[in-house]
Amino acid sequence: MSDFTIRLATADDLDAIRAIYNYYVERSTCTYQIEPDTAAERAAWFRDRSAKYPATVAERDGAVIGWGALSPWKSRCGYAWSAEASVYIHHEHHRRGLGKALLLDLIARGRAAGLHTIIGATSSDQTASLALQVSVGFEVIGTHREVGRKFDRWLDVTYTQLMLAER
């Protein structure tokens, strides 16, 4: 039995989510995200997206130690009902099954919400993320290079594209 629980995220979790996410941003050349700032924006973000594209958190002893999300992905692939699977965990909790548990939970929630195809992408140098996604059934379908300025960052990244088709 695991020593953490996975539940739907709420606006109250956003500061903890941001802290975990920023750990990865500081060590990466390719991650970026627009985040809601006001309390009203936070509440709307979770209310408006959670039914179709759930965001979840893993919690241990009342503290958020990981989070994951399915998000609409409209640019790189033409599959209908596609979503991008993302999982981030606190760096002290690597290799404890947390990432896989979050990803499997997200896939189940996405299927329950009617997502037929789930698309994933990870920068090609992120071997642990790629191995995790392949271990739960994603197949590599190609690569995509993204170069240019996005928000406040310069990107020159090759992504590995993955697909998890409905079984």
Side-chain angles (χ1 to χ4, degrees):
M1 175 142 177
S2 64
D3 60 346
F4 55 85
T5 57
I6 297 174
R7 61 170 172 78
L8 282 173
T10 70
D12 293 336
D13 299 315
L14 199 50
D15 286 334
I17 289 171
R18 184 176 288 165
I20 295 169
Y21 181 77
N22 284 342
Y23 173 83
Y24 289 90
V25 170
E26 290 166 4
R27 288 155 183 79
S28 173
T29 59
C30 64
T31 49
Y32 53 87
Q33 179 168 298
I34 295 176
E35 298 167 333
D37 288 319
T38 69
E41 288 173 335
R42 289 177 176 215
W45 191 82
F46 285 98
R47 180 188 66 244
D48 296 343
R49 74 185 306 279
S50 290
K52 190 74 173 178
Y53 304 105
T56 61
V57 293
E59 190 175 56
R60 175 187 289 148
D61 299 327
V64 172
I65 59 173
W67 67 279
L70 293 179
S71 58
W73 189 16
K74 299 180 174 72
S75 59
R76 300 188 190 111
C77 189
Y79 293 99
W81 301 106
S82 62
E84 181 178 7
S86 301
V87 169
Y88 299 88
I89 61 175
H90 193 281
H91 64 279
E92 294 176 359
H93 299 281
H94 282 280
R95 293 183 290 278
R96 297 187 185 179
L98 178 55
K100 186 170 186 176
L102 278 164
L103 188 53
L104 289 172
D105 182 77
L106 285 172
I107 291 168
R109 290 176 193 270
R111 295 289 189 236
L115 297 176
H116 302 300
T117 304
I118 297 176
I119 305 297
T122 185
S123 56
S124 295
D125 62 345
Q126 298 293 318
T127 55
S129 293
L130 180 59
L132 171 62
Q133 293 185 69
V134 169
S135 75
V136 299
F138 281 88
E139 294 181 18
V140 174
I141 58 171
T143 58
H144 171 79
R145 185 166 180 226
E146 189 169 357
V147 179
R149 191 150 185 85
K150 290 285 180 107
F151 306 110
D152 62 343
R153 306 188 67 133
W154 175 262
L155 303 180
D156 185 353
V157 182
T158 300
Y159 291 100
T160 298
Q161 294 176 290
L162 303 119
M163 179 175 71
L164 183 69
E166 191 170 43
R167 296 178 185 211

